[in-house]
Amino acid sequence: MDKLHLRPATIDDVPFIARAILEAVGFENPSSEIIERQQSLCRRTDVLYSWRNTTIAQYDGKIAGSLTSYDGRHYRKMRAVTFPLIHEMCGADFSDMDDETGAGEFYLDSLYVQPEFRKQGIATALIRDGIDKAKHLRIQKVTLIVSPTKPAAANLYQAIGFHETRQQIAFHEQYIKMTLALAYPPLLEVCAASVNSALTAEKAGAPRIELCQRLDLGGLTPTHDDIRYCARKLNLRTFVLIRPRGGDFCYNEDEFELIVNDIRFCKSEGISGVVVGFLNSDLTINVEQCRRAIEAADGLEVTFHRAFDRCANWPMALEQIIDCGFNRILTSGQEPTAMQGLNTLKAIQKQAKGRIAILAGSGVNAGNARHILREVGNNEVHGSCKIAGYESDEAEVRKTLEELKTF
């Protein structure tokens, strides 16, 4: 049996995690009051460096170390909550500090290994576990900061593949920000308008579906039974479209409550992600509803759907969507099909700068998927892969996947 075992933290690990975080930011001999307040922070649901985002390393059955890691798209929201609490806790004011991370980055925070367990490969195992989490989300950059007073740590990160990107002041000290760039093969997301289409996508080997119904109305929320079936029976990643009706994307409070309840149902069933979109009557982004929906998703991947293509000012809408914390945007470049919208898709990808994934969709098929990816510079496409009607065709899914393999 291996001596080293990595596992997700539980709330019972909070005392260890709190001390690890204090150690990571340079607290020496913290008072019992500071330790207790840090433990309180680690138990909160709105704090990223909590037990919920932490991996524990056990060596020979004993807790040896930990790493807290998270999607940087939520960092600013978390910072707005925690920095005032830290100031209240110990008087430290970090309000002028540069952001440690942000959208398009997966952040490795507060790596700690107890002294008696060092030089056992524990730090490397924890870092690689954090990288694997970034890969699961297809995030292109993994980042961390390291003190220049810890050259051994910097050497370890460099050996794994990180490189120095810039100097950064953090917690009133000089740090080095380091980055590991990740690349991914092209991905096909199949738009599955039924359980039958979802099964077809799985059989053909698709990695991900967007489950919906009623494509004749542009796609609506599938039934709870269909969501539950796909969550429990399929072995691919399932995103669920949450759209209670056809027509516009301006929802009143009753409609929005239905959306939130469906998001929570998806989360309870173990769905990988949800697909939503909210506009105001003037075709701007409804930022409040976006943020409330992401809060309800609480850790699920969230795609902003083709409501984006109706926005009056897409460059401003793109920045708002990124700021809200979405993982990706499904778009045809504000045209009926992705092929027609290629020029705008290229401009969207250029402005996004890797901070959010651009999922090109509408009219995508085996004959044009590679061309779209090559022209736009993104690496995700979305298509129903249907031949007739609204059901996905297994041969078309396979053919599209084969085309992407040779990209």
Side-chain angles (χ1 to χ4, degrees):
M1 180 176 170
D2 292 338
K3 287 186 175 183
L4 179 60
H5 171 65
L6 302 185
R7 63 169 175 82
T10 70
I11 198 166
D12 293 334
D13 296 310
V14 162
F16 181 88
I17 296 167
R19 284 186 172 272
I21 289 171
L22 290 171
E23 169 84 12
V25 297
F27 271 98
E28 295 182 4
N29 302 314
S31 67
S32 58
E33 181 182 4
I34 287 179
I35 292 171
E36 177 55 39
R37 289 191 178 186
Q38 184 62 55
Q39 290 182 14
S40 296
L41 282 176
C42 290
R43 292 188 182 98
R44 291 176 62 133
T45 59
D46 53 355
V47 173
L48 293 175
Y49 50 85
S50 73
W51 65 271
R52 295 168 184 82
N53 293 320
T54 298
T55 297
I56 295 291
Q58 291 189 182
Y59 192 84
D60 210 12
K62 300 176 182 177
I63 295 180
S66 64
L67 173 68
T68 301
S69 58
Y70 48 82
D71 188 338
R73 66 195 171 107
H74 300 300
Y75 175 78
R76 285 189 178 179
K77 179 181 176 182
M78 181 273 292
R79 170 176 169 152
V81 172
T82 57
F83 277 30
L85 290 173
I86 292 171
H87 186 263
E88 178 185 332
M89 182 172 72
C90 60
D93 183 4
F94 302 131
S95 59
D96 61 346
M97 189 177 99
D98 291 342
D99 289 344
E100 294 175 69
T101 187
E105 298 181 357
F106 193 82
Y107 193 62
L108 307 187
D109 196 355
S110 304
L111 173 66
Y112 178 71
V113 178
Q114 298 209 73
E116 62 267 34
F117 294 103
R118 291 172 185 170
K119 298 185 179 180
Q120 303 292 340
I122 294 171
T124 299
L126 285 166
I127 294 165
R128 294 198 181 281
D129 181 73
I131 294 169
D132 286 344
K133 288 182 170 64
K135 289 179 177 178
H136 181 73
L137 296 171
R138 291 175 65 89
I139 296 176
Q140 296 181 340
K141 293 180 181 178
V142 183
T143 59
L144 53 83
I145 58 173
V146 60
S147 170
T149 64
K150 296 181 178 179
N155 289 340
L156 171 63
Y157 302 139
Q158 287 176 343
I160 292 172
F162 287 83
H163 66 277
E164 180 178 339
T165 49
R166 62 182 171 89
Q167 301 291 312
Q168 177 164 329
I169 301 296
F171 310 110
H172 302 157
E173 301 288 342
Q174 183 75 45
Y175 282 83
I176 301 167
K177 185 161 187 176
M178 303 187 75
T179 300
L180 172 69
L182 300 176
Y184 301 96
L187 179 143
L188 170 65
E189 176 184 273
V190 174
C191 177
S194 67
V195 167
N196 184 57
S197 286
L199 289 167
T200 296
E202 180 181 51
K203 187 177 180 181
R208 193 173 79 207
I209 60 170
E210 180 203 54
L211 182 67
C212 60
Q213 65 172 330
R214 297 297 305 270
L215 284 181
D216 57 309
L217 295 176
L220 300 181
T221 309
T223 68
H224 281 195
D225 285 344
D226 285 358
I227 294 170
R228 184 180 289 112
Y229 180 91
C230 290
R232 297 183 182 185
K233 300 295 185 179
L234 300 187
N235 294 315
L236 44 60
R237 303 192 73 211
T238 298
F239 289 1
V240 175
L241 174 65
I242 309 295
R243 185 182 179 218
R245 58 164 173 77
D248 64 26
F249 303 99
C250 306
Y251 300 108
N252 62 37
E253 274 302 309
D254 288 339
E255 291 172 325
F256 185 74
E257 185 176 353
L258 287 175
I259 292 170
V260 167
N261 287 339
D262 282 336
I263 291 172
R264 289 172 176 160
F265 175 78
C266 289
K267 182 173 174 61
S268 72
E269 288 295 322
I271 287 294
S272 299
V274 293
V275 183
V276 297
F278 308 97
L279 301 182
N280 297 309
S281 59
D282 63 354
L283 301 183
T284 59
I285 301 296
N286 188 323
V287 171
E288 180 187 358
Q289 288 187 344
C290 286
R291 287 177 174 163
R292 288 166 63 189
I294 288 174
E295 184 176 350
D298 188 27
L300 298 182
E301 291 191 60
V302 188
T303 300
F304 193 99
H305 58 47
R306 288 186 64 208
F308 177 80
D309 290 328
R310 297 194 185 181
C311 289
N313 182 340
W314 73 255
M316 181 177 73
L318 175 62
E319 295 303 322
Q320 290 174 317
I321 290 168
I322 291 171
D323 190 60
C324 285
F326 285 85
N327 294 83
R328 63 182 48 75
I329 298 174
L330 170 60
T331 174
S332 58
Q334 300 212 309
E335 296 289 348
T337 70
M339 284 293 291
Q340 291 171 295
L342 277 179
N343 287 335
T344 301
L345 282 169
K346 285 190 282 188
I348 293 168
Q349 175 74 9
K350 182 178 180 180
Q351 182 175 320
K353 295 179 182 177
R355 294 173 294 162
I356 191 169
I358 304 303
L359 175 61
S362 186
V364 174
N365 55 46
N368 61 28
R370 284 197 301 170
H371 179 74
I372 291 169
L373 292 173
R374 185 180 299 111
E375 288 295 310
V376 176
N378 65 325
N379 68 355
E380 295 188 8
V381 289
H382 167 100
S384 56
C385 298
K386 59 185 184 291
I387 300 298
Y390 295 109
E391 292 294 326
S392 300
D393 180 80
E394 183 181 342
E396 184 66 15
V397 177
R398 290 184 184 277
K399 188 176 178 181
T400 306
L401 290 170
E402 284 300 316
E403 285 296 311
L404 294 183
K405 283 181 182 178
T406 61
F407 178 71

